[in-house]
Amino acid sequence: MMTNNSFASRIFDHFNVILLSLLALLCLAPIWHTLALSFSSKSAAEAGMVFFWPVHFNFTSYTQIIEDQQFWRSFLISIIRVILGSSLNFLMTLLLAFPMSRTAKQLPFRNAVMYFLLFNMLFSPSMIPMYFTVKDLGLMDSIWALVLPSAVPIFNVMLLMNYFRNIPKEMEEAAMIDGAGPWYMMIRIFLPIAVPTVAVITLFSIVGHWNAFFDGLIYMNKVEHYPLQTYIQQLIVKIDPSKLTVEQLVKLQNVSAKTLNAAKIFISILPILILYPFLQKYFIHGIMLGSVKE
């Protein structure tokens, strides 16, 4: 493989490295500041003395979180939501992407279904009709209100469908000659080949469900049913002392709301930070394969 080692090329490479390093630092700086704030003392946080290193290092905020039952209840709801929502997204994506990757002769009305999906992706229903639909179905204050409205991720369907279309036709013909039916081909032949794209769409679903907070505000009427991000968003935006118990008020006197919220934010993003390196190797490869058309 020949490479261009001209002076201009080396300058361009060094410029890219510097620029991308600066962008990476800009992305990491808020996370690092949040971590430093969570380990700082109340007085230092309230005085605005914390930037990138903890001041008066302590674990008080994390000790308070361990005793916050609502935080762990919301954490459990978010985990259940991620498992249910991601599984449902994967199932619906697979069941739609495989038939949509067939030819118009194999699947009648395929183009009509495609236009329907595209229309719904570009013009998704607004908040009010979606709210009344969820309410009329009796899903308010249940985990299904968080996972069913987003059960079919159309963008993920497009990615997986394009990947299936790029699989050589000869492989499908050979399987059909050996007697394989559509279900067998989808599960035993196409799905194992599409592991990089499946990993990418799974990561999309996990991150989407974990970070979502707005639907929790709309569909949940009780704080006990809030997913984690909704609970944290409420803590940051609005702390109503009238809704706190005497015990919680005493605890707040001993710890800063800034350090406590910083600790909760850091713990909430920790699962994604742990999971991402394991799926990152599939990320670029899978999304490129799924987006390229013949």
Side-chain angles (χ1 to χ4, degrees), residues 24-38:
L25 287 175
L26 286 175
C27 294
L28 290 174
I31 299 175
W32 187 257
H33 172 70
T34 302
L35 183 62
L37 195 60
S38 69

Side-chain angles (χ1 to χ4, degrees), residues 6-26:
S6 66
F7 179 74
S9 175
R10 291 199 298 273
I11 293 294
F12 182 74
D13 290 342
H14 289 308
F15 175 77
N16 274 343
V17 170
I18 294 171
L19 179 62
L20 292 176
S21 300
L22 289 175
L23 290 175
L25 287 175
L26 286 175

Side-chain angles (χ1 to χ4, degrees), residues 191-209:
L191 189 57
I193 296 174
V195 166
T197 302
V198 170
V200 169
I201 63 175
T202 302
L203 182 62
F204 284 165
S205 297
I206 291 173
V207 174
H209 280 292

Side-chain angles (χ1 to χ4, degrees), residues 72-207:
W72 294 113
R73 190 180 295 116
S74 297
F75 196 94
L76 179 62
I77 291 173
S78 283
I79 290 177
I80 295 172
R81 174 184 182 165
V82 166
I83 295 173
L84 271 179
S86 300
S87 302
L88 190 60
N89 288 159
F90 169 73
L91 183 64
M92 298 304 293
T93 300
L94 180 63
L95 292 179
L96 254 178
F98 181 74
M100 292 300 293
S101 66
R102 307 295 86 195
T103 63
K105 185 178 179 181
Q106 293 173 308
L107 180 68
F109 307 111
R110 188 199 67 172
N111 293 336
V113 176
M114 178 61 71
Y115 286 128
F116 177 75
L117 293 176
L118 284 174
F119 182 83
N120 277 277
M121 186 173 71
L122 297 175
F123 305 99
S124 56
S126 59
M127 182 176 64
I128 294 176
M130 183 65 77
Y131 171 81
F132 282 109
T133 302
V134 172
K135 184 179 179 181
D136 291 344
L137 290 174
L139 300 178
M140 297 293 287
D141 275 318
S142 74
I143 191 69
W144 299 109
L146 304 177
V147 298
L148 286 182
S150 58
V152 183
I154 300 175
F155 180 74
N156 293 354
V157 173
M158 302 292 178
L159 283 178
L160 193 57
M161 179 188 69
N162 284 328
Y163 186 88
F164 284 158
R165 284 181 177 177
N166 288 327
I167 293 176
K169 300 296 180 187
E170 292 78 8
M171 185 177 294
E172 180 183 346
E173 291 170 1
M176 292 177 66
I177 292 172
D178 289 339
W183 287 100
Y184 185 91
M185 280 196 292
M186 181 180 73
I187 297 173
R188 301 298 297 274
I189 298 176
F190 279 63
L191 189 57
I193 296 174
V195 166
T197 302
V198 170
V200 169
I201 63 175
T202 302
L203 182 62
F204 284 165
S205 297
I206 291 173
V207 174

Side-chain angles (χ1 to χ4, degrees), residues 130 226 270 275:
M130 183 65 77
Y226 278 176
L270 198 57
L275 177 65

Side-chain angles (χ1 to χ4, degrees), residues 41-43 45-46 61 252-261:
S41 66
K42 176 182 178 180
S43 57
E46 295 295 339
S61 299
L252 279 179
Q253 291 177 355
N254 300 323
V255 65
S256 166
K258 288 184 178 179
T259 59
L260 188 61
N261 291 339

